[in-house]
Amino acid sequence: MAVGFSMTAGRRTRRAVHAFALLAGCALAPLAAQAQDAAPAAKPVVLHCPALLDSVAGKMLGQSSVVVQGDRVTEVAAGYVTRPDAEVVELAAGDTCLPGLIDAHVHISMEFTPTIYSDMLHFNQADWVVRSTVWAKRTLLGGFTTVRNLGDSHYETVALRDQINKGWVPGPRILSAGPAIGSTGGHADDGDGLRMDLQPDVGPHDSIINGPSDAWKAVREHYKQNVDTIKIMTTGGVLDLSGSVDNSQLTEEETKALVTAAHEYGYIVGVHAHGAEGIRRAVVAGADSIEHGTFMDAQDMKLMKEHGTYYVPTIYTGTYVTEKAKANPHAYPPAVQAKALMVGPQLLKTVGDAYKAGVKFAYGTDAGVFPHGDNWKDFPLLVQVGMPAMYALQMATINAATLLKKDKDLGSVAAGKYADIVAVSGNPLTDITVMGKVDFVMKGGIVFKKGGAEQVFTSTAH
Ligand SMILES: [Zn+2]
């Protein structure tokens, strides 16, 4: 999908180069090191869970106690126990506790509201950033305690990540890719569809590359802006104003250069790809995940199994844009409308086929195309196309954590991991729609939702 919404201004102008040069000798690393959770109370907390998902074993446990100290889980015990001086939180009868959910594909600083295509021309970055704080909170209250943001406009989700980590605003843990990297006229190029005098002159500094050396330059620019991960676009997309959803938009050499450069800097690479050839190029280049994958063919699936590539299907987004286009012939601009009608049914089929073929999956939704907070809506569709509910839950917990290389800290409820724990009202193994009934949310030992009600968040950051 098109992630760039600032279509007119160009991504960034050269800023205060001289002032920055003064800082060049200073160590910037300590700034990043400050990005930590606000310190929670030292008193231990024991959660009494009527049921608890063991995401690693793929089992649902009965009554369990989870002991939390500070921002970490210290113990998981069978039955209801307590500990000296502990505050006990009794989850409601019938609740199921799960590891904090992970959405490996969101756009938390934008949302396709009914006025978005005109807002893109009127809003400043600051408008989007203010809204992103609201979208971040909705995501967290929906039970998603970690997200990978696969594309923003001006690295604003890097800033949002840092302010959430420092405790200024509530939100999920964010792994930010900064802006997605693509080619001239491709899905990442904000100038698509605008009249020529409004099209900014963009290059690798703006995440638009042509050739392998530009690829390295763009990845290094992302490193300089302190991203966590890299997103590239090897094919067309649905919501930009160009004609093709599945054409190839990066050469084999460019794709290989981007993935190699990203890996050299320790980043995993998520690849937006709808067409079979763009998927193939990404997989053979060593990409870590394929996003959307709408027209993935049997050869792609075989290659993904061989290479261990994850599939992040964004399945609800496909259905959502198709339904929206069907309901209203003017829901999207004409070029987008045609593409939107095509992708939903195709994506449902592809996801079912890829699961049967043995491709491994991680959960990711493309939230922002649909309203933030509805991130759970992939679950029922994943079950509908043939996945066991347990597998869908593992996708959003241990599989996503493993893809993101965060499984030491996230993805299961276990001693030593972050105390990111949610509870839903009911048993998702018998009724997957209870994933939309989030009763309780704890992130890093701090309770953001309890008894289905948002808790007052008072920032103690300073
Ligand atoms: Zn996306």
Side-chain angles (χ1 to χ4, degrees):
M1 49 146 297
V3 293
F5 28 77
S6 157
M7 297 213 254
T8 52
R11 277 209 168 89
R12 279 161 301 138
T13 52
R14 292 274 171 187
R15 300 148 302 179
V17 172
H18 297 296
F20 189 74
L22 295 174
L23 287 170
C26 303
L28 291 174
L31 290 175
Q34 289 168 15
Q36 291 164 359
D37 290 306
K43 201 172 156 186
V45 174
V46 181
L47 304 181
H48 284 175
C49 297
L52 172 67
L53 176 74
D54 180 341
S55 57
V56 175
K59 271 196 225 155
M60 190 63 80
L61 309 174
Q63 287 187 345
S64 305
S65 299
V66 182
V67 184
V68 174
Q69 179 80 53
D71 63 354
R72 299 272 174 175
V73 171
T74 55
E75 185 187 350
V76 179
Y80 288 163
V81 301
T82 187
R83 292 291 173 258
D85 302 324
E87 177 199 342
V88 176
V89 175
E90 305 282 351
L91 277 305
D95 272 12
T96 300
C97 292
L98 310 157
L101 302 169
I102 301 171
D103 189 333
H105 190 138
V106 304
H107 301 281
I108 210 160
S109 59
M110 56 82 75
E111 190 171 286
F112 273 77
T113 60
T115 56
I116 186 163
Y117 285 96
S118 59
D119 290 345
M120 287 177 192
L121 296 170
H122 302 297
F123 277 23
N124 289 306
Q125 270 305 304
D127 294 297
W128 296 107
V129 171
V130 171
R131 288 191 180 184
S132 77
T133 62
V134 176
W135 293 325
K137 189 162 88 168
R138 287 180 188 166
T139 302
L140 178 63
L141 295 177
F144 286 80
T145 53
T146 300
V147 298
R148 177 174 59 157
N149 202 84
L150 284 187
D152 63 14
S153 190
H154 291 66
Y155 297 95
E156 66 276 8
T157 60
V158 172
L160 181 64
R161 171 199 72 192
D162 290 347
Q163 301 316 320
I164 289 170
N165 287 348
K166 290 174 184 170
W168 287 100
V169 287
R173 302 176 193 284
I174 295 176
L175 301 177
S176 171
I181 302 172
S183 60
T184 297
H187 192 47
D189 188 339
D190 291 350
D192 283 1
L194 298 185
R195 63 174 212 248
M196 286 178 74
D197 62 308
L198 293 178
Q199 294 173 4
D201 182 19
V202 288
H205 189 69
D206 315 283
S207 308
I208 299 302
I209 67 144
N210 290 281
S213 80
D214 274 5
W216 279 86
K217 210 167 174 180
V219 169
R220 286 169 172 158
E221 175 67 27
H222 280 64
Y223 174 72
K224 186 173 168 184
Q225 305 306 336
N226 201 17
V227 300
D228 304 284
T229 187
I230 294 289
K231 160 84 171 294
I232 70 171
M233 295 176 150
T234 61
T235 78
V238 179
L239 297 178
D240 70 55
L241 296 169
S242 63
S244 175
V245 63
D246 64 339
N247 62 2
S248 296
Q249 298 187 341
L250 290 169
T251 65
E252 282 191 309
E253 292 73 25
E254 288 165 338
T255 308
K256 182 77 187 161
L258 284 165
V259 174
T260 305
H263 284 171
E264 181 135 322
Y265 282 84
Y267 297 132
I268 67 160
V269 184
V271 182
H272 160 106
H274 290 281
E277 173 61 16
I279 295 169
R280 191 191 65 76
R281 290 180 190 179
V283 174
V284 298
D288 299 276
S289 64
I290 298 297
E291 315 292 312
H292 318 303
T294 309
F295 300 96
M296 185 183 291
D297 63 16
Q299 186 203 9
D300 289 334
M301 293 176 196
K302 188 165 168 275
L303 281 171
M304 287 173 74
K305 281 170 67 181
E306 282 168 21
H307 287 258
T309 320
Y310 277 92
Y311 184 13
V312 177
T314 67
I315 193 168
Y316 174 62
T317 278
T319 299
Y320 178 86
V321 297
T322 299
E323 294 302 320
K324 201 166 148 184
K326 271 191 193 162
N328 174 6
H330 305 294
Y332 297 109
V336 175
Q337 187 80 4
K339 294 187 281 183
L341 286 168
M342 185 186 4
V343 292
Q346 180 62 42
L347 188 53
L348 291 177
K349 182 180 180 315
T350 300
V351 175
D353 290 350
Y355 178 72
K356 278 190 217 100
V359 173
K360 65 181 177 182
F361 283 76
Y363 194 93
T365 66
D366 220 359
V369 174
F370 61 86
H372 294 286
D374 281 352
N375 309 58
W376 67 276
K377 288 189 174 176
D378 270 38
F379 285 114
L381 289 173
L382 294 169
V383 171
Q384 183 189 313
V385 299
M387 282 184 197
M390 178 59 81
Y391 189 77
L393 297 175
Q394 289 176 304
M395 280 172 63
T397 52
I398 193 63
N399 286 19
T402 305
L403 163 64
L404 303 180
K405 298 197 185 327
K406 297 288 177 191
D407 49 311
K408 280 203 181 85
D409 286 319
L410 305 170
S412 65
V413 179
K417 291 201 181 187
Y418 279 123
D420 291 4
I421 300 155
V422 304
V424 295
S425 304
N427 180 355
L429 297 182
T430 53
D431 177 9
I432 194 69
T433 66
V434 303
M435 295 306 290
K437 295 175 183 155
V438 175
D439 189 40
F440 176 84
V441 178
M442 171 185 273
K443 190 195 95 180
I446 299 173
V447 177
F448 290 89
K449 194 177 198 181
K450 198 174 177 181
E454 179 184 343
Q455 301 296 288
V456 175
F457 174 81
T458 306
S459 174
T460 55
H462 56 270

